[in-house]
Amino acid sequence: MIKKLGLLITVIICVTALLYPFIWGTRVADTQPREEQPTVEKPTVPEKPLHNVKLPNFAAIKDVKQKKAAFFDFIREPIEKANAKLRSQRAVLEIALMMTQFDEPLTDVQIDKVTDIFAEYGLGDEQISELSLRQALRKVDVIPKELVMMQAANESAWGTSRFARIGLNFFGQWCFSKGCGMVPKRRNQGAKHEVAVYQSVQEAVNAYFYNINTNSAYRELRDIRADLRQAQQPIDAKALTYGLMSYSERGEAYIEELQAMIDHNRTYFDE
């Protein structure tokens, strides 16, 4: 009797073991780790330029000296043209100022030229006088190419940034109307600015010059420049960097970086 009872218990245990997975609704296979399905990455669609200018592929130049030389050769001519225009406009204003100081009348051609310059630099409502001409001369002045080159290199990562490649914006300049440029991918919530887009490198450089020479944020730079003029000192690039405190959120660190870049790259400026 005891043997039969033991045999019955053994049979029950065996049957229960066999039925256990089905009783609890779990298959042995479900308890094993599954192989991960390979992730299929969607192909990245290159962002199309918003201009028709063929830019050098600065990112492909691995040698640092060659990359710097290529970038400076690329940006130098537009900068020199912008400064040449400013020298020409400044000469018109200086002659007009000298004649005004000696009570000599300006010719109709001179008046037209001065009026156009006033309009361009936000002085369109001013009458031509010694005071207004002096005000104009504080704005209509050159910016050392060393400073412009270094800001272009810094802001565009030596011509490789998205904004430089897609929008020809080498100076990180903003615009504030919807659709005026490119929306930054990391723009703060609630911000409405865009990064301006240009159709030529000259247009981008001219916009930078105009911004520096007219924006109230850079009045200190213009004051430093005017003081150097008054003292008959050269318009020094490093001295003018102190007027760019508002150009970057980094403040003094940005100025120090620009000054270091000017020192380290002097050999490229006049090539």
Side-chain angles (χ1 to χ4, degrees):
M1 181 68 180
I2 294 176
K3 288 182 179 181
K4 289 181 179 181
L5 181 59
L7 181 60
L8 180 60
I9 292 173
T10 301
V11 171
I12 292 172
I13 292 173
C14 291
V15 171
T16 302
L18 291 171
L19 295 177
Y20 179 83
F22 300 98
I23 294 171
W24 293 101
T26 304
R27 293 179 298 168
V28 174
D30 289 339
T31 65
Q32 302 301 315
R34 298 185 179 185
E35 293 185 5
E36 293 185 2
Q37 296 297 320
T39 302
V40 179
E41 294 185 0
K42 294 182 179 179
T44 303
V45 179
E47 193 172 7
K48 292 183 178 181
L50 301 174
H51 57 83
N52 295 319
V53 178
K54 186 174 182 180
L55 296 176
N57 186 0
F58 295 113
I61 305 174
K62 302 306 179 185
D63 182 87
V64 173
K65 291 183 178 180
Q66 289 181 5
K67 178 181 288 189
K68 287 184 176 183
F71 181 77
F72 289 139
D73 288 344
F74 168 79
I75 201 77
R76 181 181 288 106
E77 185 176 350
I79 294 171
E80 290 177 344
K81 284 185 177 180
N83 271 326
K85 176 186 175 182
L86 283 163
R87 290 189 185 96
S88 178
Q89 290 179 321
R90 187 173 178 84
V92 171
L93 296 175
E94 287 176 331
I95 293 172
L97 174 61
M98 182 179 63
M99 294 178 66
T100 301
Q101 289 173 325
F102 286 94
D103 294 325
E104 294 185 17
L106 303 182
T107 66
D108 290 341
V109 173
Q110 285 179 304
I111 292 172
D112 288 343
K113 287 183 178 180
V114 171
T115 300
D116 288 344
I117 295 171
F118 277 17
E120 182 176 347
Y121 288 89
L123 298 169
D125 295 333
E126 297 287 338
Q127 296 293 322
I128 297 176
S129 64
E130 181 175 347
L131 178 60
S132 63
L133 287 166
R134 289 189 182 281
Q135 289 176 335
L137 283 167
R138 295 180 75 85
K139 294 184 175 183
V140 184
D141 205 346
V142 298
I143 304 173
K145 65 181 178 182
E146 297 89 344
L147 176 57
V148 186
M149 286 180 172
M150 289 299 90
Q151 282 204 271
N154 188 293
E155 296 291 336
S156 72
W158 298 93
T160 65
S161 72
R162 171 185 173 234
F163 299 129
R165 291 181 294 101
I166 306 302
L168 293 181
N169 191 328
F170 295 89
F171 300 94
Q173 298 201 111
W174 291 1
C175 56
F176 297 92
S177 59
K178 187 174 182 180
C180 64
M182 304 169 63
V183 177
K185 293 181 178 179
R186 298 181 181 178
R187 185 172 66 176
N188 293 336
Q189 186 176 3
K192 296 182 179 180
H193 71 274
E194 298 181 13
V195 177
V197 171
Y198 304 103
Q199 297 306 308
S200 72
V201 180
Q202 189 67 61
E203 182 186 6
V205 171
N206 290 347
Y208 161 85
F209 271 78
Y210 185 80
N211 186 31
I212 296 298
N213 279 335
T214 62
N215 195 315
S216 60
Y218 311 117
R219 181 176 294 140
E220 185 176 357
L221 181 147
R222 298 192 293 273
D223 289 344
I224 294 170
R225 185 174 59 187
D227 289 344
L228 291 171
R229 286 281 187 195
Q230 183 68 27
Q232 298 184 343
Q233 297 294 318
I235 308 302
D236 180 68
K238 288 180 69 174
L240 264 57
T241 60
Y242 291 106
L244 293 172
M245 189 71 71
S246 298
Y247 203 97
S248 169
E249 294 178 352
R250 296 170 57 208
E252 291 184 3
Y254 180 71
I255 291 172
E256 291 173 1
E257 185 173 47
L258 286 179
Q259 292 180 344
M261 291 179 72
I262 290 170
D263 286 337
H264 293 159
N265 292 280
R266 290 191 181 279
T267 56
Y268 297 95
F269 295 148
D270 296 319
E271 291 184 0

